[in-house]
Amino acid sequence: MNTGARVTYAMGRDNEVPEHFGVLHSKSLTPRRAIWALAVISAIIGVIAVSLAFGDAGAPSDASIAALPHGIFSSFGYSTHDKMAALPNSLLTITLTSNFGTFILYALSCGLCIMAYNKRHDYNVVRHLLIPGFGLVANLVCMAFYLISPVFGLGTFKEPLLALGISAVWGIYGAIYFIRSSKTKGMDVLLTTK
């Protein structure tokens, strides 16, 4: 949470997110707005993650459901095995979504390393091509598994596709925000050589 808050604070200072995230508290010199925003987002994601933790393959049998105490707090969210098995497992979905974002970040970092060191005087094939190249390929394979596993029936099929959908929506939102923010500031969206 501390790392996320500091990164959000830095992005606010650089006007990559709304600038109120780039403000430090006057007394404690902490990015309180970023901390609270991430706390609220994490709480919402946590509630969503555990809301259908017994969906899909983790659905309990009808006998197990019948053996539960019958009260409003103890049986909330449990219906029948078939209905619960038809729902995606929310905990797995959130985990896969988070991992997909991590794979994208590391793949971009490896690609950036390859491009940044290309044609430099301190270029080393092992350190600047082979190692990040392996990392790039490994992350792309991990991301491709989200599409490959449902096609070949490996594991579940709902959760990886739902994670891709969530990632796509988040990516589209980020792209729209970036384009609008760049136009508002009068900055070019793409770098051009002069």
Side-chain angles (χ1 to χ4, degrees), residues 123-145:
Y123 179 78
N124 182 304
V125 173
V126 174
R127 289 190 332 200
H128 302 126
L129 180 64
L130 296 179
I131 293 173
F134 173 77
L136 178 64
V137 170
N139 282 288
L140 291 175
V141 167
C142 288
M143 290 189 296
F145 194 75

Side-chain angles (χ1 to χ4, degrees), residues 59-142:
S61 66
D62 288 330
S64 298
I65 294 171
L68 291 172
H70 294 287
I72 189 162
F73 296 111
S74 59
S75 61
F76 179 76
Y78 291 98
S79 55
T80 65
H81 169 77
D82 293 338
K83 287 181 182 176
M84 291 179 71
L87 298 171
N89 183 311
S90 57
L91 189 58
L92 180 58
T93 302
I94 295 297
T95 302
L96 289 174
T97 305
S98 172
N99 288 348
F100 191 77
T102 305
F103 293 144
I104 290 173
L105 175 67
Y106 287 139
L108 289 173
S109 297
C110 291
L112 183 63
C113 178
I114 292 170
M115 289 185 285
Y117 280 95
N118 189 22
K119 297 180 182 177
R120 282 183 46 145
H121 71 281
D122 56 347
Y123 179 78
N124 182 304
V125 173
V126 174
R127 289 190 332 200
H128 302 126
L129 180 64
L130 296 179
I131 293 173
F134 173 77
L136 178 64
V137 170
N139 282 288
L140 291 175
V141 167
C142 288

Side-chain angles (χ1 to χ4, degrees), residues 20-31:
H20 70 272
F21 288 120
V23 176
L24 291 177
H25 189 265
S26 60
K27 293 180 183 174
S28 63
L29 297 178
T30 57

